[in-house]
Amino acid sequence: MQPTRLIPVVALAASSLFASQAVLAYSAGDAFVRGGFAKTETRSSNGAVDDISNGDTGFTFGAGYLFHDKVGVELNSSEKLEHDVTLNGATGTFDRQPINLLVNYYPLGGVDSRVQPYVGAGLNYTRFSGEPEGVSARRSYGAIGQVGLDLAITDNLMLNGFASYADVDSRVSIDGERIGKAKVDPMTIGGGLTLRF
C-alpha cells in the first residue's frame, strides 16, 4: 500500500479508537444501576447494647444519575442484614435495612479512562425490625460517606468496588422503658457490577 493511501486508513483507525475510548468517560446525563454483595462490620463500643455482631453478607443494589460530568446522585440500599445482639445479659437478633441518598464526585468525570473513582456523602436512613420480644429499636437518621471505583469491562458494563461508613444510632427500649442508644456505625465493604446507560 502506498504511503499516501496509508494515511487515511491510519487516521480512520485512530478516530475509531478515540471514539470507542470517549464513551468510557462519565458525562452529564449518564444513568446507572448497581448490584452486588457487601459485608458490614459494626463498631466495638455499642452504647446501651452489650454487644452487636457484624452483619451477614447481603445483596446490595442502587441507581444513580450524573447531572454534571463530575457530580451525580445515587440512591442505594441492601437486603435486610441480621445481627446477633446481647442486651442486659440476654441474647437475640435484629434485622437492619439501610437506605442511602448520596451526592457523588467523580474526579475523572469527562476524562476517557477505564478507571472511574468516586467519593460520596449524604444521608442514611436505617430501619430495624425483628427485635427480641419486649425490645424496641427506633429507626435512625445519620450521615454516610463512601469511596468507590468503577472499572470498565465494556462501554456499558463495569466492575464496582466500594467502602462506606454510616452514623447509625438507635434508641432502644425494653418493655416501653428507654435504656439508651445502641451505636451500630457500620463500615461496609462490597463489590459487584455497574450497568451504565
Side-chain angles (χ1 to χ4, degrees), residues 9 14 21 33 54 60 63 72 86 90-91 93 121 135 139 141 146 163 181:
V9 173
Q21 291 294 312
V33 293
N54 294 327
T60 61
T86 303
T91 301
T93 63
V135 177
R139 61 187 176 271
Y141 294 92
Q146 73 171 356
K181 285 187 176 181

Side-chain angles (χ1 to χ4, degrees), residues 115-164:
V115 178
Q116 293 287 343
Y118 58 91
V119 294
L123 178 67
N124 165 268
Y125 165 78
T126 298
R127 180 178 179 273
F128 296 93
S129 61
E131 303 97 322
E133 186 175 352
V135 177
S136 173
R138 292 279 294 175
R139 61 187 176 271
S140 168
Y141 294 92
I144 183 171
Q146 73 171 356
V147 294
L149 183 74
D150 282 321
L151 175 63
I153 302 172
T154 69
D155 294 347
N156 302 103
L157 185 64
M158 304 178 182
L159 291 175
N160 174 256
F162 72 93
S164 68

